[in-house]
């Protein structure tokens, strides 16, 4: 049988001319898995919307915040 991989995104913001996906993580370092996950979110939204899609991965840590687009 086929296994389905269900993913959840933190936030999707739809503006007049753009869709933005924002995923939050609390890891100490940037993880390649997280980057792939956000890329999949973006591709999924691009298949649904005709608007420009932007994706951001935000690491929330005690000492800092790192934003990756």
């Amino acid at each position: 049988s086929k296994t389905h991989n269900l993913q959840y995104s933190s936030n999707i913001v739809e503006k007049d001319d753009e869709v933005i996906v924002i995923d939050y993580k609390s890891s100490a370092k940037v993880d390649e898995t997280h980057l792939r996950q956000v890329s999949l979110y973006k591709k999924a939204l691009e298949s649904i919307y005709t608007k420009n899609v932007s994706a951001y991965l935000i690491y929330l840590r005690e000492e800092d915040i790192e934003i990756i687009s």
Side-chain angles (χ1 to χ4, degrees), residues 12 19 21 38-54:
I12 297 172
V19 176
V21 60
V38 170
S39 178
L40 288 174
Y41 294 155
K42 182 178 180 190
K43 286 179 185 176
L45 291 171
E46 287 172 335
S47 73
I48 297 168
Y49 290 94
T50 57
K51 302 175 185 181
N52 183 46
V53 178
S54 299

Side-chain angles (χ1 to χ4, degrees), residues 3-66:
T3 302
H4 296 281
N5 188 6
L6 186 60
Q7 299 288 324
Y8 295 93
S9 174
S10 294
N11 287 298
I12 297 172
V13 178
E14 184 175 1
K15 297 171 68 177
D16 289 339
D17 60 344
E18 180 181 26
V19 176
I20 304 167
V21 60
I22 305 167
D23 197 23
Y24 297 94
K25 301 293 182 193
S26 59
S27 302
K29 62 180 183 170
V30 175
D31 186 318
E32 204 49 49
T33 305
H34 300 156
L35 296 170
R36 282 193 303 272
Q37 184 179 30
V38 170
S39 178
L40 288 174
Y41 294 155
K42 182 178 180 190
K43 286 179 185 176
L45 291 171
E46 287 172 335
S47 73
I48 297 168
Y49 290 94
T50 57
K51 302 175 185 181
N52 183 46
V53 178
S54 299
Y56 297 91
L57 179 57
I58 301 177
Y59 285 89
L60 302 172
R61 305 180 191 110
E62 272 189 42
E63 65 281 353
D64 70 346
I65 296 173
E66 182 176 359

